[in-house]
Amino acid sequence: MNNVSTIFEFIIIQAGFAFTPGLIITLIVNESIQRSRRKGLEVAAGAAAGALVMTLLSSVIVTFLFSIIPTFLQIIFVVGSIYIIYKGFSTLALKNKSNERAVNQGAFVSGLRVNLINPKMWLFYLAVLPIFVQNFENLFSSMIFLGIITVFINLFGDICYALFSSYFFSDSSDNTKNIINKLCGVSLISIGFYLLFTRFL
């Protein structure tokens, strides 16, 4: 299983992703502000359910590809590291806009659906999670383990946004949002370059 330092690196990376505003957070904030915090929490629960499905499917896919193409993971490692760096720079450049998105379905179903059809989430599970696998003999179980950590960190971030959305996304909170974006962006860029140059180049 993964060692402590690798898990710590992974938690930092995942926290950077989890607290960077995206489709799910937009839904959570809009539901929490326009309807109720309970609805925002339902979106978060749906997103977590979708993440569990992606954990299982991505673990199966990566394990299968590795079994037939052993060099596949090396390609994934480089792609994943570059994606982390890209995500960091895009987070630094992120404009704080609360784009309203209508929820025509139930809040839970909307969170589930949006997560499952979000290509960025699939890219994370397929390209970033494998970077932090240490025991390739137990690749499937290691991917499941990292996926579960991801689900809990994302759920924690989503719950925070649901409960404190009125503060984080009020007109007076631009400085707070900018600080969150900068911290997440710098963390992602730093670890992305670290992974790229110390492990794969």
Side-chain angles (χ1 to χ4, degrees):
M1 195 59 71
N2 302 57
N3 60 45
V4 175
S5 62
T6 302
I7 293 175
F8 181 71
E9 292 171 4
F10 178 73
I11 290 174
I12 294 176
I13 286 288
Q14 180 50 44
F17 278 86
F19 283 91
T20 300
L23 292 175
I24 288 296
I25 289 178
T26 299
L27 277 176
I28 290 172
V29 169
N30 287 334
E31 286 292 282
S32 298
I33 292 176
Q34 296 175 13
R35 298 173 72 179
S36 68
R37 288 177 178 172
R38 177 180 176 181
K39 290 297 180 182
L41 292 173
E42 287 179 13
V43 174
L52 287 173
V53 173
M54 285 188 284
T55 294
L56 178 59
L57 293 180
S58 62
S59 299
V60 171
I61 292 170
V62 171
T63 302
F64 172 73
L65 290 175
F66 177 69
S67 68
I68 61 175
I69 311 173
T71 57
F72 170 75
L73 281 184
Q74 294 300 320
I75 299 172
I76 288 294
F77 290 162
V78 175
V79 171
S81 299
I82 293 173
Y83 177 66
I84 291 170
I85 295 169
Y86 162 78
K87 183 67 174 179
F89 279 111
S90 64
T91 299
L92 288 177
L94 188 65
K95 300 297 182 182
N96 293 312
K97 295 180 180 179
S98 179
N99 298 318
E100 294 189 5
R101 184 177 295 269
V103 175
N104 298 320
Q105 301 167 307
F108 179 89
V109 174
S110 295
L112 174 67
R113 180 179 60 84
V114 169
N115 235 8
L116 288 176
I117 65 174
N118 186 351
K120 292 181 180 179
M121 288 297 296
W122 282 106
L123 182 58
F124 178 85
Y125 277 87
L126 292 171
V128 177
L129 259 65
I131 296 176
F132 297 91
V133 172
Q134 297 293 302
N135 186 354
F136 298 113
E137 294 181 357
N138 296 308
L139 178 58
F140 180 80
S141 59
S142 295
M143 287 283 294
I144 293 291
F145 175 70
L146 292 172
I148 290 174
I149 292 177
T150 298
V151 171
F152 279 107
I153 294 176
N154 279 339
L155 183 59
F156 174 74
D158 291 346
I159 289 173
C160 288
Y161 275 108
L163 295 179
F164 302 106
S165 55
S166 59
Y167 171 72
F168 282 123
F169 287 85
S170 65
D171 293 336
S172 62
S173 66
D174 284 344
N175 288 335
T176 302
K177 290 179 283 187
N178 286 330
I179 290 172
I180 292 173
N181 289 343
K182 288 178 180 178
L183 287 175
C184 292
V186 170
S187 297
L188 291 173
I189 292 169
S190 300
I191 294 185
F193 276 114
Y194 168 77
L195 292 173
L196 187 63
F197 288 105
T198 61
R199 297 187 185 182
F200 317 124
L201 296 182

